[in-house]
Amino acid sequence: MSKSNSSNKISRRSFLKGMGSGILSTATLTTGGLISKEAAARILGPEGETISGRTVITLKVNGKARRVAVEPRTTLLSALRDRLDITGPKEGCDRGHCGACTVLMDGKAVLACMTLAVDARGKDITTVEGLSQDDSLSPLQKAFVEKDGLMCGFCTPGLVVAATALLKENPNPSLDDIKEGLAGNLCRCGTYPKVFEAVQTAAKIMRKGG
Amino acid sequence: MTGWKSLQDMVVLSKPLPRLEAPDKVAGRAKYTQDMHPKGMLYGGLLVSPHPAARVLNIDASKVRRLPGVKAVLTDVHPTGTVRYAGEEIAAVAATSPEILEDALELFEVEYEVLPFVADIESAMQENAPRVFANRSNIRDARVRSEGDVDAGFANADAMVESEFRTQVQTHSTLETHGSMVYWDGDELVIYDSTQAVHGVREGIAKFLDMPVNKVRVICKHMGAGFGSKLQPGRYTAIAARLAKEADAPVKLMVTRKQDFLGYGNRPNSISKVKLAATKDGKLTAFYAKTYGTAGIGTNAGIRLPFIYDIPNWKHEHYDVFTNAGPARAFRAPGCPQASFVMEQLMDELAEKLNMDPLEFRLKNDSNPTRQKEWRLGAEKFGWKRRNSIPGADSGRYKRGMGLAASIWWPGGRGTKATMTIYPDGTLDIKCGTQDIGTGTRTYMAMVAAEELGIPMKRIRPMLGDSNFPKSGASGGSTTTPSVGPAIKNTAERAKSRLMELASRLWGVPVAELVWNGGGVQMKNNASKKLDWQELCQLLGTDPLEVHGEWVEGLSSRGVAGCQFAEVTVDTWTGRIQVNKILAVADCGLILNRLTTESQVNGAILQGISYALLEERHMDPSTGTMVNANYGDYKILGAKETPEIEVIFYDEPERGVIGIGEPPTIPTNAAIANAVYNATGVRMRELPMTPDRVLTALASRELAGKED
Amino acid sequence: MVNFEYFEATSLEGLPQLLGNNRNENVVMAGGTDLLDLLKERILQPKRVINIKKIQELHGIQNGRGLDIGALTILSDIAKHPAIRKSYTVLAQAAGSIANAQLRNMGTIGGNLCQRPRCWYFRGREYVCLKKDGSKCYAAEGINKYHAIFGGSPCFIVHPSDSAPALMALGATLEIYGPNGRRAMPLKDFFQLPEDNLMFENRLAANEIITRIRIPEPEPGTRSLYIKFKEKDSMDFAISSVAAVLQIQGNRVRKADIVLGGVAPIPWRAKAAEAELQGKELSDAVIEKAAAAAVSDAEPLDHNAYKVMLTRNLVKDALLRLRSA
Ligand SMILES: Cc1cc2nc3c(=O)[nH]c(=O)nc-3n(C[C@H](O)[C@H](O)[C@H](O)COP(=O)(O)OP(=O)(O)OC[C@H]3O[C@@H](n4cnc5c(N)ncnc54)[C@H](O)[C@@H]3O)c2cc1C
Ligand code: FES
Ligand code: FES
């Protein structure tokens, strides 16, 4: 049956509005095991959960549970930027082409502009803000600073997050690995050579346990 | 005024220093216009014309106004009602959420009378083509420039080459789109703008909204790049201001990525029919060019021919052509990459005809003393001698080749003012109404002051990007560093004098008996009598010292020379050109910050490669709209296209500061094209050199070969 | 995006009924990387978006006698899977060539097969083309440098999927769940040309979803590879790609499966090339002939004749590399 545990969740039965209250009794029948699961599903619709209209959801961002009002069509990027004021992730294209919105989701680099906010519930989301504790930058962020892996800096949060994921997966990347890992991040200013240097430098430091 | 110290004496300047805002940028703390979000802010958006040519007959916004959450609507944003390119602003709305904004934009009902259009330069030039401006021909009058006697020049030549070259329309495509966040503070308008010119925007918007200049303030602390597309005030800014007024709330209006492609700047294309001639000992005698370019509905689609070489007799006729497309804007070295594509290839063709090495041929015809040295230095470092002596001689699928090309730039520094406030605790602020567009301005402001005053960088807070700060020009034309650098130095010098006056009063000795030493003051003849920086500042008591300074002649200069060498591999099976390496010899006088300067040169080169190999605006012939107005279909160089880059700085500190942002983007495309020829024996006469063009060119040569 | 209702399904049962027969009302979302693009451009304006990611049985890779991949398996898991890399190389390479690292962490293999074409006229709202019930194909006379050289008319899209040619060359079969339960469909029967159906690129019914993808175990002596040519190497759809699976016994080709991507509205089986290879030794001459045969019936448009040369060369390259593999 539908696992309705969050306040605003509406069970699958809400689809069948217009079918009258008979639905409820059918559901009762099902739990009683009188008809098959499949037959029940045909009448009731599949198991699951519906969200429609403006809804408050909880997102776990940088270790904190954040409540945020979204619509089903709200992207994760918009939820972060427009509602939670987490503006590290940038909107460069809103279409998956530029990587400026890259965040980590359960440790993997993904694009926040191509993810629905409602689909990010229950996931561990880390934005660039979550990579540094208080004022201390991660070794990779430090390397970006020292090697000048940025100019206007608009693409930088996305590159930093993508490179963080890259190094987690491959602590000793070759130049080609780095290029492959960052191929989805567009930098119009052309910082790539310095970014490559930064990632290589950070990799070295991190391997030494820095 | 004193000059710059010698390089050896410099402690901070000309060193490679990380930029000061870098920690904020890598941690995601730096706030760009796109990130602004004051309480109660509304989301503004534009409705733009889908038609390249149309008359707006009626705009019905009643449904928009009825949508809950819509707070302001404008239907009079188009100045004339006659649309001349797809992407022109037609209406605007501000709403309480991005979703409502999106829905609202769907609800406008606009009635257009669709008019005939010309989508590209060829169709615009045809007889009987629809006119972009009813009472003007699409082809503007020729701009003719000449020197010497061209006919005689050609008559006296031993060898001539003649050809036609084409370059494409390139869009700036800055990662942060154009846009502003504005709010009204009483009758004062505060604008956060992604701009290259806070003062320019202030003046422009004040005029546009018919407001006193001092009631408009423009702020830009961080911005997602410009490349020339953000030099002017935007209509969107004025629109945002009107929306904000109507709604009585802050409004952020960032144009969409697609709108950015359509309406907010591009580099014009070019068609060049050219001839170049020389004597058999390799001296150029004459050049002739007839060129066309379209800046859309704008003008200035010029191409800076004859480029850099010494040609005694030349003539250049240029025609701007109107098309129904967004207006061009200045784009990193306007008119120059096109010129290098044409001229540097012609030079190679002529050299081949004369049986000369391209480098040798250039040395004979380039009298610029800096470049004479740079050519040799670059050739030596690059191993120019390793190059194929016979173009296309490599057998097999992959062919390697080398090419070279020159760069040039003109402007230098100009009026900039700055203020320095020194606090009794020894910290200081520098304020300058310039902006840091990713060029490291903020950082060298502090470096110049630190060097001049002899104090640590961390005591200095450089402040920019605010029209309340003393005036500086737009960050364009590579003028910023030669303008701002000297202004800061001058301000620091004046601060020093003022502090020395304090010491002279304290000690009761004339200033002439004092010297500045390592951040403090001492008696010339008694080194033990001194005040360090902290002690000096304490003399201020409770009143900070405020000093004004400005750009002065003598610390900067104009004129840039440089050259680049490219090595490529051409995959003759796929037509892919891979750039293996670019070596740039960059001349930039006194380098203020080696690290950020190197980044700028890298960036210019990468944009040059991207222009050479990938970028192209495609206009659909049947609708007159851009089909690839997104970052996927408009292809911009990424990580995998980035080659090895070696930058050799040709230091000439005695020339003072000169800008470097633009010149290194000029030669890249031509160096690559020449390398492709050296690799394959096939000349690429059209940009970008995409696989389709390369494969087609290779195939037609093969066919031609078979016919022989 | 229009304001749709979002449904997160946790089981397959009932899904076909919910999906119903109107494709434009209810749409399935897997990784969403293609769907969101269509929603944002309002090419699709559904009433309901049904997220199927929570349905457990659609996940996971099983490798035993053959390969069984859940439709929701993300592309990066396929690209990195050691057994797939080893024995189904063409698939691992195809998956690894898609988009970029971030999108490979999001996009699923099922979504990859069902993704809609990337033709800029189809994706641009302002062009009401044949696929959007309009009256003309803008590409036919417009800017068609990336369009079809095979099987185009009347609509010249190319199928954008990289995994599809690979899976087809490997002889994959889809498991499909619909109102009547599960059924199997060979991937070779899945796609359809515009002349058969202008609106949809595959034969999946509106109320069906792909649940799993099964690939038979390769015969001994099988080697495979995927070559994808992108205009922009960092990230791009295929201008042309070749999925090649050869079973070689002794010195001879026992079986050749060559499927081209990015050149036709469906993954395009190069039958004539396969025939050229059948039973032959991979000599230079045979390879040249097969490569030429692969494009012998190409019908390029105004701006894409280069794709014919390119494709021929890619086939040749693929065969040469497989020969020395
Ligand atoms: C910038 C960018 C670059 C890309 N580059 C490439 C590339 O190089 N090569 C390539 O092949 N693709 C590319 N893609 C396309 C595509 O998004 C991905 O390949 C991805 O695999 C799609 O999977 P998804 O799970 O995200 O699909 P979704 O977006 O969730 O779905 C896509 C379509 O398939 C349907 N669907 C999804 N799953 C199922 C199912 N199990 N049963 C029935 N229908 C289903 C959906 O209803 C929808 O119509 C790119 C996309 C982007 C945004
Ligand atoms: S904003 Fe998400 S990829 Fe560009
Ligand atoms: S630093 Fe400007 S886009 Fe990358």
Side-chain angles (χ1 to χ4, degrees):
Chain A
M1 294 307 306
S2 40
K3 291 168 265 167
S4 261
N5 40 26
S6 109
S7 57
N8 60 314
K9 277 182 191 169
I10 304 156
S11 84
R12 60 184 179 178
R13 280 170 225 106
S14 66
F15 293 135
L16 307 174
K17 39 188 161 191
M19 286 188 69
S21 55
I23 295 298
L24 286 177
S25 53
T26 320
T28 322
L29 279 181
T30 329
T31 37
L34 294 177
I35 61 171
S36 75
K37 201 176 154 200
E38 258 145 73
R42 264 200 291 279
I43 307 165
L44 293 176
E47 293 185 6
E49 173 195 355
T50 297
I51 296 179
S52 67
R54 215 178 104 99
T55 305
V56 176
I57 61 168
T58 302
L59 293 178
K60 205 164 140 209
V61 188
N62 298 328
K64 284 196 200 100
R66 305 284 304 263
R67 288 173 60 76
V68 50
V70 297
E71 292 184 24
R73 59 178 160 165
T74 306
T75 60
L76 173 60
L77 184 62
S78 174
L80 293 170
R81 292 179 48 80
D82 298 324
R83 308 176 209 223
L84 295 172
D85 206 25
I86 297 173
T87 57
K90 301 283 183 263
E91 182 186 308
C93 68
D94 199 34
R95 290 294 187 283
H97 298 139
C98 76
C101 64
T102 305
V103 298
L104 300 180
M105 199 182 259
D106 291 341
K108 284 197 166 110
V110 298
L111 302 176
C113 75
M114 297 299 274
T115 305
L116 294 180
V118 289
D119 194 19
R121 292 172 303 158
K123 304 268 171 37
D124 257 317
I125 299 155
T126 308
T127 69
V128 69
E129 287 94 336
L131 299 178
S132 46
Q133 266 83 44
D134 303 321
D135 267 349
S136 88
L137 300 176
S138 73
L140 179 70
Q141 287 171 317
K142 279 188 198 144
F144 263 74
V145 172
E146 274 152 32
K147 298 292 172 192
D148 204 37
L150 68 156
M151 281 189 254
C152 80
F154 203 76
C155 67
T156 311
L159 273 163
V160 168
V161 175
T164 301
L166 166 77
L167 289 181
K168 207 163 85 178
E169 210 167 283
N170 181 357
N172 190 9
S174 66
L175 183 57
D176 281 344
D177 295 337
I178 295 173
K179 289 183 178 181
E180 179 62 51
L182 304 180
N185 292 76
L186 198 63
C187 173
R188 186 48 159 160
C189 294
T191 55
Y192 299 109
K194 303 277 189 203
V195 167
F196 301 157
E197 265 185 65
V199 176
Q200 283 165 323
T201 306
K204 243 182 250 155
I205 292 171
M206 287 160 74
R207 284 201 304 277
K208 282 192 210 130
Chain B
M1 182 209 76
T2 52
W4 298 101
K5 287 184 201 166
S6 69
L7 272 188
Q8 303 84 282
D9 292 341
M10 284 183 175
V11 182
V12 185
L13 267 188
S14 216
K15 302 285 179 264
L17 250 60
R19 53 190 87 215
L20 297 175
E21 70 281 10
D24 284 343
K25 285 182 174 174
V26 301
R29 291 189 295 257
K31 291 275 182 190
Y32 296 73
T33 301
Q34 193 196 66
D35 303 330
M36 295 296 156
H37 197 167
K39 211 169 153 11
M41 187 194 83
L42 302 173
Y43 296 84
L46 297 171
L47 181 78
V48 304
S49 169
H51 305 293
R55 248 187 299 279
V56 181
L57 302 179
N58 186 40
I59 305 176
D60 180 352
S62 50
K63 287 189 186 145
V64 185
R65 293 204 164 87
R66 282 201 297 273
L67 185 71
V70 166
K71 298 293 177 193
V73 180
L74 297 174
T75 55
D76 61 348
V77 302
H78 197 286
T80 62
T82 301
V83 170
R84 294 204 168 81
Y85 63 91
E88 267 197 81
E89 302 94 340
I90 300 296
V93 55
T96 50
S97 78
E99 289 83 5
I100 296 173
L101 171 65
E102 192 195 325
D103 290 341
L105 287 167
E106 296 289 320
L107 294 175
F108 281 100
E109 286 166 336
V110 186
E111 215 180 305
Y112 293 98
E113 179 193 344
V114 177
L115 303 173
F117 61 86
V118 284
D120 53 51
I121 192 163
E122 265 94 6
S123 37
M125 284 163 65
Q126 264 157 30
E127 247 176 273
N128 302 326
R131 286 185 162 192
V132 175
F133 295 97
N135 48 7
R136 275 194 263 176
S137 157
N138 287 342
I139 306 179
R140 297 188 79 207
D141 290 346
R143 260 183 290 155
V144 184
R145 297 188 313 137
S146 65
E147 239 177 75
D149 181 343
V150 186
D151 292 338
F154 280 110
N156 296 334
D158 301 310
M160 187 190 69
V161 287
E162 185 168 4
S163 186
E164 182 174 324
F165 294 92
R166 283 164 186 255
T167 64
Q168 77 280 38
V169 174
Q170 180 191 25
T171 57
H172 300 72
S173 303
T174 56
L175 214 62
E176 183 183 35
T177 60
H178 291 72
S180 316
M181 195 287 292
V182 309
Y183 64 87
W184 290 88
D185 184 359
D187 62 349
E188 289 186 24
L189 176 62
V190 180
I191 300 170
Y192 284 81
D193 197 23
S194 183
T195 181
Q196 297 175 245
V198 287
H199 279 280
V201 171
R202 164 152 91 168
E203 288 148 25
I205 295 298
K207 201 181 260 170
F208 200 90
L209 296 175
D210 202 11
M211 289 175 64
V213 172
N214 66 354
K215 297 280 184 188
V216 180
R217 179 175 174 200
V218 179
I219 302 170
C220 174
K221 299 295 175 198
H222 303 290
M223 58 89 75
F227 313 120
S229 72
K230 294 177 179 168
L231 292 167
Q232 59 247 76
R235 206 187 274 174
Y236 48 82
T237 310
I239 290 172
R242 290 184 54 206
L243 289 168
K245 182 130 237 176
E246 187 174 317
D248 194 17
V251 169
K252 179 165 69 184
L253 197 167
M254 302 302 294
V255 309
T256 64
R257 174 56 54 202
K258 179 168 180 176
Q259 290 169 351
D260 204 72
F261 269 106
L262 300 181
Y264 303 95
N266 56 68
R267 182 190 299 285
N269 72 342
S270 69
I271 301 175
S272 303
K273 298 173 198 221
V274 284
K275 287 197 286 191
L276 181 68
T279 57
K280 59 178 176 298
D281 58 344
K283 284 302 269 184
L284 292 172
T285 59
F287 172 70
Y288 172 78
K290 188 168 185 178
T291 63
Y292 302 86
T294 181
I297 63 157
T299 54
N300 288 327
I303 157 166
R304 277 184 137 138
L305 287 170
F307 205 46
I308 65 151
Y309 296 104
D310 315 331
I311 308 172
N313 312 295
W314 60 269
K315 183 171 175 194
H316 178 195
E317 274 172 60
H318 173 77
Y319 301 85
D320 273 358
V321 180
F322 291 119
T323 51
N324 290 104
R329 292 184 174 185
F331 193 161
R332 214 169 191 163
C336 290
Q338 298 96 306
S340 101
F341 185 67
V342 171
M343 198 62 183
E344 294 290 15
Q345 293 211 80
L346 265 188
M347 287 293 284
D348 269 30
E349 286 188 82
L350 193 49
E352 188 174 21
K353 217 164 186 179
L354 293 165
N355 233 333
M356 286 179 97
D357 180 273
L359 176 64
E360 186 194 338
F361 187 47
R362 280 170 175 77
L363 290 172
K364 274 188 198 271
N365 292 291
D366 178 5
S367 57
N368 179 297
T370 304
R371 220 183 286 103
Q372 280 282 333
K373 288 175 236 159
E374 289 175 338
W375 283 124
R376 292 190 170 91
L377 176 67
E380 167 76 32
K381 295 266 183 195
F382 198 64
W384 180 249
K385 290 215 181 78
R386 293 178 295 133
R387 116 187 225 286
N388 297 331
S389 49
I390 303 164
D394 269 10
S395 61
R397 169 176 175 178
Y398 298 100
K399 296 180 189 288
R400 279 148 90 90
M402 290 185 190
L404 45 66
S407 83
I408 182 167
W409 197 243
W410 301 271
R414 58 182 175 197
T416 281
K417 294 184 163 57
T419 303
M420 192 174 274
T421 310
I422 300 173
Y423 298 95
D425 70 349
T427 57
L428 73 84
D429 288 345
I430 314 170
K431 292 185 182 137
C432 179
T434 182
Q435 41 284 312
D436 192 331
I437 61 170
T439 43
T441 314
R442 190 181 269 111
T443 309
Y444 68 68
M445 277 170 60
M447 290 169 78
V448 171
E451 184 71 57
E452 193 60 34
L453 297 172
I455 61 171
M457 292 268 289
K458 62 174 189 297
R459 301 212 162 186
I460 304 169
R461 181 167 64 145
M463 297 163 81
L464 46 64
D466 190 331
S467 63
N468 278 356
F469 297 162
K471 174 138 185 185
S472 180
S475 294
S478 303
T479 58
T480 311
T481 308
S483 306
V484 174
I488 305 302
K489 180 169 187 311
N490 174 264
T491 313
E493 279 176 22
R494 293 188 187 182
K496 240 162 46 176
S497 318
R498 297 281 295 277
L499 291 169
M500 282 165 77
E501 282 163 21
L502 287 181
S504 97
R505 242 175 283 149
L506 181 74
W507 290 332
V509 296
V511 172
E513 282 175 32
L514 305 179
V515 284
W516 190 266
N517 189 3
V521 177
Q522 68 176 64
M523 296 278 288
K524 255 185 198 155
N525 47 17
N526 179 2
S528 63
K529 184 114 180 154
K530 61 181 178 194
L531 288 167
D532 66 15
W533 174 259
Q534 201 65 37
E535 292 161 341
L536 260 179
C537 294
Q538 274 162 12
L539 296 183
L540 293 169
T542 54
D543 289 345
L545 171 68
E546 197 163 288
V547 190
H548 305 280
E550 64 192 339
W551 180 82
V552 285
E553 212 50 88
L555 296 170
S556 59
S557 43
R558 55 191 69 231
V560 180
C563 60
Q564 283 178 23
F565 294 75
E567 190 204 285
V568 304
T569 300
V570 181
D571 180 348
T572 57
W573 287 14
T574 62
R576 173 170 353 263
I577 297 166
Q578 190 190 312
V579 179
N580 305 325
K581 178 170 179 175
I582 300 280
L583 178 138
V585 188
D587 146 32
C588 53
L590 169 66
I591 296 163
L592 296 186
N593 182 345
R594 250 161 235 277
L595 187 63
T596 53
T597 306
E598 199 171 277
S599 287
Q600 279 232 51
V601 178
N602 284 344
I605 290 170
L606 292 178
Q607 262 178 19
I609 298 175
S610 195
Y611 177 65
L613 300 183
L614 291 163
E615 296 181 38
E616 182 169 20
R617 182 184 76 183
H618 290 293
M619 299 296 280
D620 175 55
S622 72
T623 58
T625 50
M626 179 176 177
V627 288
N628 61 335
N630 61 67
Y631 272 158
D633 295 319
Y634 183 90
K635 297 175 188 180
I636 297 174
L637 167 143
K640 287 200 196 171
E641 288 74 35
T642 299
E644 182 191 344
I645 296 176
E646 185 180 344
V647 181
I648 300 174
F649 285 123
Y650 188 79
D651 284 293
E652 290 181 324
E654 61 285 0
R655 296 183 59 206
V657 185
I658 52 183
I660 190 68
E662 287 165 294
T665 208
I666 297 170
T668 315
N669 72 77
I672 293 170
N674 281 335
V676 170
Y677 180 79
N678 182 240
T680 61
V682 169
R683 191 136 306 275
M684 298 303 299
R685 299 182 197 275
E686 188 171 5
L687 284 181
M689 296 176 271
T690 40
D692 53 331
R693 294 201 173 102
V694 176
L695 273 181
T696 310
L698 288 168
S700 55
R701 190 201 50 169
E702 227 161 78
L703 278 181
K706 275 180 193 143
E707 277 160 20
D708 289 346
Chain C
M1 289 188 255
V2 292
N3 191 6
F4 50 79
E5 184 176 87
Y6 173 81
F7 181 70
E8 211 165 77
T10 49
S11 76
L12 275 178
E13 288 84 21
L15 207 51
Q17 287 72 23
L18 179 59
L19 279 167
N21 288 321
N22 187 341
R23 284 173 201 270
N24 297 322
E25 269 192 9
N26 294 299
V27 299
V28 166
M29 179 177 91
T33 59
D34 183 47
L35 186 69
L36 258 58
D37 202 77
L38 295 161
L39 294 175
K40 286 178 185 198
E41 286 298 326
R42 298 203 176 205
I43 306 296
L44 268 180
Q45 307 195 3
K47 292 222 166 73
R48 185 182 292 127
V49 169
I50 302 167
N51 185 352
I52 56 174
K53 276 207 284 291
K54 294 265 159 73
I55 305 177
Q56 279 321 311
E57 63 187 288
L58 304 189
H59 289 271
I61 301 174
Q62 281 153 32
N63 179 32
R65 312 243 329 252
L67 199 60
D68 180 341
I69 306 175
L72 287 179
T73 308
I74 56 172
L75 298 165
S76 55
D77 284 350
I78 294 173
K80 290 171 194 160
H81 196 280
I84 300 180
R85 288 167 68 116
K86 180 164 177 287
S87 309
Y88 306 85
T89 316
V90 61
L91 178 59
Q93 288 173 341
S97 78
I98 291 167
N100 59 44
Q102 291 93 321
L103 284 162
R104 289 194 293 273
N105 285 334
M106 306 166 72
T108 66
I109 184 93
N112 194 266
L113 293 174
C114 298
Q115 64 175 303
R116 307 302 310 277
R118 285 279 157 177
C119 167
W120 41 37
Y121 296 106
F122 172 65
R123 295 266 164 174
R125 266 186 98 173
E126 54 271 67
Y127 314 105
V128 185
C129 73
L130 288 179
K131 284 189 89 65
K132 289 179 276 188
D133 253 343
S135 58
K136 75 169 199 176
C137 169
Y138 286 77
E141 268 145 35
I143 304 181
N144 48 38
K145 70 180 277 203
Y146 303 126
H147 286 79
I149 54 170
F150 297 107
S153 182
C155 153
F156 292 88
I157 55 160
V158 297
H159 203 280
S161 168
D162 284 304
S163 73
L167 287 169
M168 215 149 114
L170 288 168
T173 296
L174 305 179
E175 182 192 271
I176 290 168
Y177 185 83
N180 304 315
R182 281 161 224 265
R183 65 175 177 129
M185 185 194 269
L187 188 61
K188 69 176 167 52
D189 302 330
F190 182 67
F191 298 102
Q192 56 189 355
L193 283 169
E195 61 186 33
D196 296 323
N197 185 332
L198 257 179
M199 306 311 269
F200 295 100
E201 300 78 42
N202 63 59
R203 295 198 165 85
L204 203 65
N207 54 8
E208 292 181 317
I209 68 161
I210 300 176
T211 48
R212 301 199 72 87
I213 298 156
R214 302 209 165 91
I215 307 170
E217 193 172 15
E219 301 285 338
T222 298
R223 44 184 91 162
S224 71
L225 100 173
Y226 188 68
I227 295 183
K228 172 177 177 181
F229 185 76
K230 301 177 254 187
E231 192 172 76
K232 168 177 162 182
D233 203 28
S234 287
M235 175 164 73
D236 215 343
F237 287 87
I239 304 292
S240 172
S241 69
V242 181
V245 181
L246 295 187
Q247 189 200 348
I248 299 184
Q249 257 179 3
N251 276 332
R252 293 182 186 276
V253 176
R254 212 177 141 237
K255 189 162 181 295
D257 290 283
I258 296 177
V259 182
L260 310 175
V263 290
I266 59 173
W268 192 254
R269 187 171 279 280
K271 289 204 189 90
E274 291 173 352
E276 284 293 341
L277 295 167
Q278 189 66 43
K280 306 255 177 66
E281 242 177 78
L282 281 177
S283 66
D284 285 355
V286 165
I287 288 175
E288 286 288 354
K289 266 179 113 175
V295 295
S296 53
D297 53 351
E299 292 175 314
L301 300 163
D302 284 352
H303 307 130
N304 68 7
Y306 75 101
K307 285 179 83 164
V308 180
M309 300 179 250
L310 174 65
T311 305
R312 185 195 61 204
N313 290 340
L314 293 182
V315 172
K316 177 167 138 185
D317 190 17
L319 295 173
L320 285 172
R321 289 205 226 171
L322 282 179
R323 178 170 73 181
S324 54

